[in-house]
Amino acid sequence: MKNILVRCCAVLALLSNAPVLALPGAHNNVARQGTNKYVTAHFMVGIVENYTVDDWVTDMTLAKETGIDAFALNCASIDSYTDKQLAYAYEAAELADFKVFISFDFAYWSNGDTARITSIMKMYASHPGQFQYNDAALVSTFVGDNFNWTPVKNAVEHPIFAVPNLQDPNWSGSANTGIDGAFSWYAWPTDGGNSIILGPMTTIWDDRFRSNLQRAGKIYMAPVSPWFSTHFNTKNWVFICEDLPHLRWQQMLEMQPELIEIISWNDYGESHYIGPYSENHSDDGSAQWTKDFPHDAWRIIAKPYIAAYKAGERTPTVESDQLVYWYRPTPKAVTCSKDPLGPPSGVNLLSDSIFVTTLLTQPATLAVTSGGHESMSVEVGAGIVTSSFPMGVGWQYFSVSRNGEEILGGEGGWEIQDHCDYYNHNVYVGTF
Ligand SMILES: *[C@@H]1O[C@H](CO)[C@@H](O)[C@H](O)[C@H]1NC(C)=O
Ligand SMILES: *[C@@H]1O[C@H](CO)[C@@H](O)[C@H](O)[C@H]1NC(C)=O
Ligand SMILES: *[C@@H]1O[C@H](CO)[C@@H](O)[C@H](O)[C@H]1NC(C)=O
């Protein structure tokens, strides 16, 4: 029987061999500041064993439409199909006029893998599908805090720009491991590791990374993630995301980091995918909470923010009236009758709310009827605004009107129920 591995990635606590202390007098390569801004998205290669080049092109075309420039190809050393799928991804990127770069997943790779990592970088660093930053091939990781990139850089003719995921912001400024920047995995409200705290999300971790990196002349790749909920026997918790699908993008406009990586395009296991639910991926059991829960409409929020971020603007531009909503399938107190795992950690910190983001060209009135609750309405301004309403069991109705006339609205795509077989703290995301 095939051993189904639960794909990473937010398992920081399990992996945090504390990074080694900074060496005094560490030498820093001063990164040239990029003039352009780029948005990338984390892509789990480990779940697309049987993807075709066409499947890759389909995902890349959708990502491009949102303004995403590249996929970070999260890959494991142990999968027999890693080499084949990397080759397909690079080929598809060239076909789709998109870019990719490798994100070595150090839950599987180790510091002893320098030779194999070097040979992969030699193969792809100057490939037409490779994402270049400052004229160098970007490479990233999930953890792998102490991996030394200098020998890889020395052995590959094409320049390499190493922006690994680091867990300790202090290490990011002093590491002498040949890095040019760092990527943080603190995309959800946390005090560190996988600790769960109340939202809203702040930029405290980003600020720690940025101050250390800036001092060292290195760049920051900020994580943007809309949600987090996972429900495996080895991994059963939620982070408190709530309005994160919108709030985190606002933080990006204020912060203007050099690079952004969206977590994720297709990590169904952790419920933070913004890509379509692809029938062609291999299911690790997460279909139970993702198959009927589309997240595509979150890309409607991302798109104007990505455009504003790239233009260096602080406010997104709304071109047409739209509404995006999301909500969980059950109130948090409901007990699911058949679930052997029990509810995920953190569930008590969630609020029972319906979230609505309005993208409006002019002010309007938003009315929401949540299940058996009375209809509630609020005046919302032009621009992108998120409102929340108490969750009621039953169907959900949304209506936006202006000058007494409904301009958008309808029934939500999922009925909230007060009973369930299995816990699901993912959300149904829809749009009008
Ligand atoms: C990082 O540095 C700050 C400021 O010097 C210090 O307060 C903090 O304890 C350090 N954190 C770690 C994890 O070493
Ligand atoms: C992949 O999925 C899409 C629909 O999601 C389908 O149109 C396509 O044929 C699938 N490709 C393969 C190889 O099954
Ligand atoms: C991929 O295709 C092979 C060969 O057809 C098949 O044996 C395998 O089960 C497929 N894997 C998944 C995850 O669908």
Side-chain angles (χ1 to χ4, degrees), residues 21 168-171 208 212 215:
L21 287 174
D168 179 358
N170 290 1
W171 175 236
R208 288 172 184 157
N212 283 294
R215 249 197 312 277

Side-chain angles (χ1 to χ4, degrees), residues 140-420:
S140 190
T141 63
F142 173 69
V143 296
D145 305 58
N146 298 322
F147 183 76
N148 189 358
W149 290 96
T150 306
V152 180
K153 288 177 161 185
N154 290 342
V156 179
E157 201 177 329
H158 190 88
I160 288 176
F161 199 87
V163 184
N165 163 223
L166 301 182
Q167 296 167 75
D168 179 358
N170 290 1
W171 175 236
S172 73
S174 48
N176 64 340
T177 48
I179 64 169
D180 301 286
F183 170 47
S184 160
W185 202 261
Y186 294 117
W188 310 277
T190 179
D191 277 337
N194 287 319
S195 65
I196 303 159
I197 59 170
L198 265 177
M201 174 86 179
T202 70
T203 59
I204 186 165
W205 286 101
D206 305 291
D207 299 340
R208 288 172 184 157
F209 274 101
R210 290 183 84 211
S211 59
N212 283 294
L213 288 163
Q214 274 169 359
R215 249 197 312 277
K218 296 177 184 180
I219 68 124
Y220 180 52
M221 182 155 71
V224 170
S225 188
W227 205 253
F228 189 101
S229 166
T230 187
H231 192 57
F232 293 107
N233 55 4
T234 50
K235 204 178 152 182
N236 185 21
W237 80 91
V238 297
F239 282 122
I240 312 308
C241 298
E242 319 273 54
D243 59 354
L244 214 52
H246 175 203
L247 174 66
R248 188 62 178 157
W249 283 115
Q250 278 183 313
Q251 292 173 349
M252 291 303 109
L253 294 195
E254 280 148 35
M255 188 191 309
Q256 296 284 337
E258 288 85 356
L259 291 170
I260 290 175
E261 183 170 320
I262 298 170
I263 303 173
S264 65
W265 182 260
N266 68 342
D267 191 340
Y268 306 108
E270 295 181 355
S271 307
H272 42 52
Y273 50 100
I274 63 163
Y277 185 85
S278 165
E279 292 291 348
N280 305 339
H281 81 282
S282 38
D283 179 31
D284 55 7
S286 58
Q288 187 187 302
W289 59 87
T290 56
K291 191 173 177 10
D292 299 318
F293 290 79
H295 287 180
D296 300 85
W298 274 338
R299 298 201 301 275
I300 294 171
I301 303 173
K303 188 174 179 173
Y305 276 102
I306 290 174
Y309 160 71
K310 289 184 179 178
E313 286 160 7
R314 304 281 147 154
T315 318
T317 303
V318 174
E319 277 162 8
S320 65
D321 294 316
Q322 279 173 293
L323 175 161
V324 176
Y325 64 85
W326 61 96
Y327 53 82
R328 304 194 319 269
T330 45
K332 64 182 179 183
V334 171
T335 299
C336 297
S337 55
K338 295 187 185 161
D339 200 315
L341 298 185
S345 305
V347 64
N348 296 335
L349 299 178
L350 290 169
S351 69
D352 283 337
S353 301
I354 309 298
F355 295 90
V356 183
T357 297
T358 40
L359 300 89
L360 298 176
T361 55
Q362 298 290 324
T365 306
L366 166 67
V368 170
T369 310
S370 184
H373 292 334
E374 279 194 22
S375 182
M376 297 177 75
S377 66
V378 289
E379 300 304 314
V380 281
I384 306 185
V385 176
T386 297
S387 309
S388 66
F389 303 85
M391 175 188 285
V393 172
W395 288 98
Q396 312 295 314
Y397 297 92
F398 304 89
S399 172
V400 177
S401 52
R402 189 179 288 141
N403 305 324
E405 254 178 75
E406 182 175 277
I407 55 167
L408 294 171
E411 186 180 79
W414 194 263
E415 183 184 12
I416 296 182
Q417 300 195 316
D418 60 1
H419 56 91
C420 46

